Amino acid sequence: MVYDIKDIFIDNNISFVKINVELHRVDRNEHYPIDIGDYDVIAIDDVKKNIWIIESKYLNRVGNFYEMFDQQRNFFKENKYIEKFQRRIDFINNNYKRVLKSFGFVDVSGYNVLSYMVFNKVMISRYRKIDIPLISISELSGIINTTN
């Protein structure tokens, strides 16, 4: 699904798109932490000065209510996907100038960080309030268009 997301950004004229980014491998001199994990998609719009951080999640089809609630519990309670993604968002928010320089950008000031968790289908949390926007992949292009 990350390749589909990459194509959506490119189709919307955002040409700097990287997938499965491990920052500690991008620039070894910066000593980025290993424990924050990888970024599924980082897209940078240097014209509008937006940094897009995308976490991509594929959800299996569910056949009944039990499977749906099991999927919800697994996603929002047990595996802590939201907390892990929030750590990566916080890191970029606090270090985006360093990260932009590591990617070769010269003008690194005044960027906005936009973060979304993108699913292959509509997903909402039935267990708790989530501050990170949860969107379907079909919604992503519209959001990019209204932001750009």
Side-chain angles (χ1 to χ4, degrees):
M1 198 164 86
V2 293
Y3 293 102
D4 296 327
I5 293 170
K6 178 181 179 180
D7 290 344
I8 290 170
F9 278 106
I10 291 170
D11 290 346
N12 282 281
N13 299 316
I14 298 173
S15 58
F16 187 91
V17 186
K18 300 289 182 195
I19 59 173
N20 302 320
V21 178
E22 293 178 318
L23 287 178
H24 66 279
R25 294 180 190 264
V26 171
D27 188 346
R28 295 187 191 278
N29 295 327
E30 280 294 327
H31 304 290
Y32 292 120
I34 296 172
D35 64 342
I36 61 171
D38 72 318
Y39 292 83
D40 290 344
V41 180
I42 295 178
I44 301 170
D45 181 348
D46 60 337
V47 175
K48 300 289 184 181
K49 293 202 167 193
N50 289 322
I51 302 169
W52 297 80
I53 310 293
I54 305 295
E55 182 74 9
S56 169
K57 294 294 176 201
Y58 183 85
L59 299 173
N60 291 323
R61 193 173 171 168
V62 295
N64 56 46
F65 282 114
Y66 175 77
E67 289 176 359
M68 179 191 67
F69 281 105
D70 190 47
Q71 187 177 65
Q72 285 272 323
R73 186 183 69 251
N74 180 33
F75 192 86
F76 293 109
K77 283 184 133 184
E78 293 175 2
N79 285 325
K80 302 197 183 289
Y81 292 116
I82 301 299
E83 290 81 0
K84 292 174 186 174
F85 185 40
Q86 187 63 55
R87 275 199 332 253
R88 289 190 284 279
I89 294 167
D90 293 343
F91 183 82
I92 291 290
N93 276 322
N94 295 326
N95 298 280
Y96 77 86
K97 290 179 181 180
R98 276 176 61 200
V99 172
L100 287 171
K101 286 179 184 176
S102 292
F103 284 127
F105 287 85
V106 177
D107 179 11
V108 297
S109 60
Y111 277 80
N112 298 307
V113 177
L114 307 169
S115 55
Y116 292 90
M117 190 165 277
V118 178
F119 296 89
N120 58 312
K121 58 184 178 179
V122 175
M123 175 69 144
I124 59 169
S125 172
R126 299 186 184 280
Y127 279 98
R128 61 188 171 117
K129 184 181 180 318
I130 306 296
D131 293 328
I132 301 166
L134 309 176
I135 64 170
S136 68
I137 191 167
S138 60
E139 294 173 286
L140 181 60
S141 186
I143 291 170
I144 295 169
N145 283 330
T146 58
T147 306
N148 285 339

